[in-house]
Amino acid sequence: MALPFRFLSLLLLAACTAFALGPWWTMRSIAQAADERDEAQWHALVRADHLQTYAGKLLEAMLDLRMYADMKNDTREALRDNSDGKRLVESTARLLAGPQGFRHLLCGELTDDPSGEAQGQAGCWALDGSVRWESPIKARVSFTNPGTLWQSELVLLRIGLFQWQAIAVDLPADAILDRFSRSVGLEPKPMV
């Protein structure tokens, strides 16, 4: 009777350990899929459509800020540039939500070339964050951009007993838009 009990205890311990390490293993798999640009593995690990929507909204906000800044010089040209830029939002957001540009998205560097190389191997660029459990089926992985010290989070959701998937990203949108506003010559409005 003691031997089956020990076996079941060890089995339960192994299952609990695998359960607890699921988000960490998922992040390692996401980093590997990004490094290898493995589209098939990427789609199993990341809900890219959700990330793409989020990135697209931020990119559109940046284009609108640029348009307002450019309207000081030439309104017609600013409107035309804005229209031309918005045609590229979907493809740029798709790159940011894919394995090529994911590090840029997670670090909040949306204006960088998403198909280019990441800036370093520290902080969010390394895709090595700290895991915080929100519930048995949801976890957040926090990252820090080493250059700006921005905090971003990747939301992971359990999709099976031991499988997880990245479903959303939370970026410091206000800080990103404020920095972009300054770069195009607009002064951000003070927060009340």
Side-chain angles (χ1 to χ4, degrees):
M1 182 89 141
L3 188 59
F5 179 74
R6 286 183 186 162
F7 177 73
L8 287 175
S9 296
L10 286 175
L11 190 60
L12 182 62
L13 180 65
C16 288
T17 302
F19 184 86
L21 292 176
W24 181 78
W25 282 330
T26 300
M27 281 310 306
R28 288 193 50 150
S29 298
I30 288 172
Q32 183 178 2
D35 288 341
E36 296 172 1
R37 311 250 162 128
D38 185 346
E39 291 285 339
Q41 182 69 7
W42 188 259
H43 292 297
L45 295 167
V46 177
R47 285 293 308 260
D49 54 334
H50 291 199
L51 275 59
Q52 182 178 339
T53 300
Y54 185 84
K57 288 178 182 178
L58 273 175
L59 290 170
E60 286 179 357
M62 290 175 160
L63 283 171
D64 289 343
L65 288 170
R66 177 175 294 280
M67 178 186 66
Y68 294 132
D70 292 347
M71 286 178 95
K72 296 175 188 173
N73 299 328
D74 185 351
T75 303
R76 188 174 297 165
E77 186 175 333
L79 290 170
R80 185 179 58 241
D81 289 347
N82 184 271
S83 177
D84 291 344
K86 289 205 174 171
R87 287 189 202 112
L88 299 174
V89 165
E90 186 178 340
S91 61
T92 304
R94 187 178 314 111
L95 274 175
L96 287 167
Q100 283 184 289
F102 183 69
R103 283 184 167 89
H104 295 278
L105 175 65
L106 196 59
C107 289
E109 301 293 346
L110 281 71
T111 57
D112 289 350
D113 178 12
S115 62
E117 289 299 315
Q119 294 180 357
Q121 296 302 319
C124 54
W125 299 105
L127 297 182
D128 185 23
S130 60
V131 175
R132 184 179 85 242
W133 287 81
E134 287 192 346
S135 73
I137 62 165
K138 190 175 184 182
R140 288 182 176 268
V141 186
S142 300
F143 302 90
T144 301
N145 181 320
T148 60
L149 301 181
W150 288 338
Q151 298 287 317
S152 59
E153 292 184 332
L154 186 65
V155 180
L156 300 177
L157 189 67
R158 180 180 305 282
I159 58 170
L161 187 58
F162 299 109
Q163 295 176 318
W164 292 79
Q165 190 175 48
I167 60 161
V169 64
D170 288 329
L171 300 177
D174 290 339
I176 292 168
L177 294 174
D178 285 349
R179 181 179 76 168
F180 186 76
S181 293
R182 286 187 189 93
S183 76
V184 296
L186 294 175
E187 284 302 316
K189 293 181 180 177
M191 298 286 228
V192 182

